[in-house]
């Protein structure tokens, strides 16, 4: 099933993101995580792509297939095009098609050491996927602006329109910690005429170093109450985890109550966190999805 059909049926789509283990680690390491996440009944699980070269990218196809085939849960394969040739991308599309993976989050990927390749931006990739298969297509969006746009949210919202024209049916947002930032962003997308549903990307804090690294990569603003949590519990791993879960839950309850169309939880392959958050949302999610659309 294409994910856009889920949005047509449900008021709020709730999904998880996982990443494949590094090529040097056995792939089986993530199997238990998938098993534990599957019990939580997410609407879909997405699997990241990229770091680690071709071994890891085969792993994205393998894991998205496993999620769908073994657990009957829809999956979304992330796919980046930076440094890739059309032939590389076609090989992957064929593999995903053979493995009956129905959905792709089509991304450019971060500019790194490799040259750009045959695709200069994610719109080229989306058009190529749209014209060469029958996949549901998602795009990434940036509530605080993409780093290369120097936090110019208006420009990135304009780019979202181009992504939609190129085939994106829905969007998953970069992580953010201040819901007001997301609400302002949604207002801009509405004014721009973006039609596709937008899922809010939520990352619970697990440890201070990890969040600092992620934030330096994506530029998310850290609100004072979030910084207080990190400072207070940075040397107490379990306390920080509890506080991080509570912070993420508060964010999600507020977003769900405000009527956002989806929540995408960056699980960091940590089923304990996903479990605690999801169990605390059980009645909220079912209450929202009971309302007539
Ligand atoms: P693009 O849409 O190509 O945008 C890149 C930059 O170019 C932006 O600044 C944009 O404003 C600008 N731009 C694009 N089109 C135009 C245009 N027509 N005119 C002017 N400017 C333009 N990376 C991975 O390597 N693997 C993953 O699995 C992965 N998963 C992700 C999941 C989510 C939900 C998100 C939000 C990001 C993910 N990323 C992943 C990171 C992503 O690859 C980077 O953020 C990348 O730098 C941009 O990807 P994009 O698809 O948004 O690119």
């Amino acid at each position: 099933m294409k994910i856009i059909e889920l949005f047509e049926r449900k008021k709020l789509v709730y999904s998880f993101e996982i990443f494949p283990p590094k090529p040097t680690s056995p792939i089986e390491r993530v199997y238990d995580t998938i098993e534990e996440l599957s019990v939580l009944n997410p609407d879909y699980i997405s699997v990241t792509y990229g770091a680690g070269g071709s071994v890891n990218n085969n792993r994205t196809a393998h894991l998205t297939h496993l999620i769908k085939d073994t657990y009957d849960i829809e999956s979304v394969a992330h796919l980046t095009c930076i440094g890739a040739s059309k032939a590389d991308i076609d090989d992957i599309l064929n593999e995903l098609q053979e493995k009956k993976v129905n959905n792709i989050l089509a991304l450019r990927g971060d500019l790194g050491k490799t040259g750009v390749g045959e695709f200069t931006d994610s719109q080229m990739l989306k058009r190529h996927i749209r014209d060469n298969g029958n996949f549901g297509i998602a795009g990434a969006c940036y509530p605080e602006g993409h780093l290369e746009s120097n936090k110019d949210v208006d420009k990135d919202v304009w780019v979202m329109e181009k992504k939609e024209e190129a085939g994106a049916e829905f969007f998953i947002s970069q992580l953010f910690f201040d819901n007001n930032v997301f609400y302002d962003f949604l207002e801009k997308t509405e004014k721009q005429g973006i039609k596709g549903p937008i899922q809010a990307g939520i990352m619970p804090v697990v440890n201070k170093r990890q969040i600092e690294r992620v934030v330096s990569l994506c530029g998310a603003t850290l609100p004072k109450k979030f910084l207080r949590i990190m400072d207070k519990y940075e040397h107490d791993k379990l306390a920080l985890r509890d506080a991080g879960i509570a912070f993420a839950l508060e964010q999600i309850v507020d977003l769900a109550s405000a009527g956002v169309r989806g929540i995408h939880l960056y699980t960091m392959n940590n089923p304990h966190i996903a479990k605690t958050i999801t169990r605390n949302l059980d009645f909220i999610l079912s209450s929202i999805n009971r309302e007539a659309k």
Side-chain angles (χ1 to χ4, degrees):
M1 183 203 300
K2 293 186 180 171
I3 301 299
I4 193 65
E5 294 172 42
L6 280 172
F7 281 104
E8 282 156 12
R9 282 194 217 158
K10 303 190 81 163
K11 286 199 103 172
L12 189 150
V13 167
Y14 182 68
S15 56
F16 296 147
E17 178 172 309
I18 62 166
F19 53 84
K22 288 194 187 109
T24 46
S25 300
I27 191 161
E28 291 77 13
R29 187 168 275 190
V30 77
Y31 287 0
D32 286 348
T33 303
I34 294 175
E35 171 99 29
E36 288 185 62
L37 293 179
S38 73
V39 178
L40 303 172
N41 270 328
D43 290 311
Y44 72 84
I45 299 178
S46 79
V47 183
T48 64
Y49 180 96
S54 67
V55 176
N56 248 29
N57 296 333
N58 290 343
R59 288 181 167 194
T60 300
H62 173 75
L63 293 174
T64 42
H65 170 70
L66 177 89
I67 290 163
K68 181 139 178 50
D69 197 53
T70 308
Y71 298 101
D72 201 19
I73 293 173
E74 262 326 313
S75 59
V76 174
H78 296 210
L79 176 60
T80 64
C81 57
I82 196 96
S85 65
K86 282 212 170 94
D88 296 333
I89 294 294
D90 285 339
D91 283 347
I92 294 158
L93 295 182
N94 286 337
E95 187 178 357
L96 291 172
Q97 207 146 325
E98 271 165 28
K99 289 190 153 78
K100 301 192 173 7
V101 175
N102 296 320
N103 298 283
I104 297 176
L105 171 58
L107 301 147
R108 185 195 65 182
D110 284 322
L111 297 173
K113 290 184 190 122
T114 55
V116 171
E118 282 187 70
F119 297 84
T120 53
D121 58 44
S122 70
Q123 293 134 69
M124 276 185 79
L125 178 64
K126 289 178 185 78
R127 274 192 294 273
H128 188 75
I129 297 171
R130 184 189 61 193
D131 298 342
N132 292 281
N134 184 26
F135 295 100
I137 304 174
C141 63
Y142 303 87
E144 299 188 60
H146 187 264
L147 274 185
E148 286 166 43
S149 303
N150 293 322
K151 298 219 158 208
D152 184 347
V153 182
D154 290 328
K155 183 206 160 196
D156 273 344
V157 170
W158 174 81
V159 171
M160 278 175 82
E161 198 180 6
K162 305 289 152 224
K163 291 183 181 185
E164 239 179 9
E165 285 164 12
E169 295 159 324
F170 70 102
F171 294 93
I172 306 176
S173 92
Q174 182 60 278
L175 61 93
F176 60 91
F177 300 100
D178 181 346
N179 286 359
N180 288 326
V181 164
F182 191 69
Y183 297 141
D184 290 346
F185 167 71
L186 286 184
E187 227 176 276
K188 286 177 194 273
T189 62
E190 215 166 290
K191 280 195 190 130
Q192 189 71 33
I194 304 297
K195 293 181 197 66
I198 300 169
Q199 281 189 266
I202 299 294
M203 180 177 278
V205 60
V206 186
N207 67 63
K208 191 175 175 181
R209 262 220 339 260
Q210 168 235 351
I211 284 294
E212 281 170 351
R213 199 181 69 83
V214 170
V215 165
S216 76
L217 289 176
C218 76
T221 309
L222 297 177
K224 275 199 183 121
K225 69 177 179 178
F226 186 84
L227 287 169
R228 265 199 301 277
I229 289 174
M230 292 220 290
D231 287 343
K232 177 87 179 165
Y233 304 114
E234 68 175 304
H235 301 300
D236 188 335
K237 210 172 139 194
L238 293 180
L240 182 64
R241 190 182 69 180
D242 275 356
I245 287 173
F247 188 92
L249 253 173
E250 191 187 327
Q251 258 194 295
I252 295 171
V253 171
D254 179 57
L255 290 162
S257 309
V260 302
R261 292 301 321 279
I263 303 289
H264 187 68
L265 192 68
Y266 295 103
T267 71
M268 294 158 294
N269 292 10
N270 185 326
H272 169 81
I273 292 181
K275 210 179 291 174
T276 313
I277 290 178
T278 308
R279 297 248 151 97
N280 277 287
L281 290 173
D282 246 10
F283 290 109
I284 292 171
L285 295 180
S286 51
S287 167
I288 288 172
N289 282 320
R290 253 199 322 271
E291 293 166 24
K293 248 202 80 187

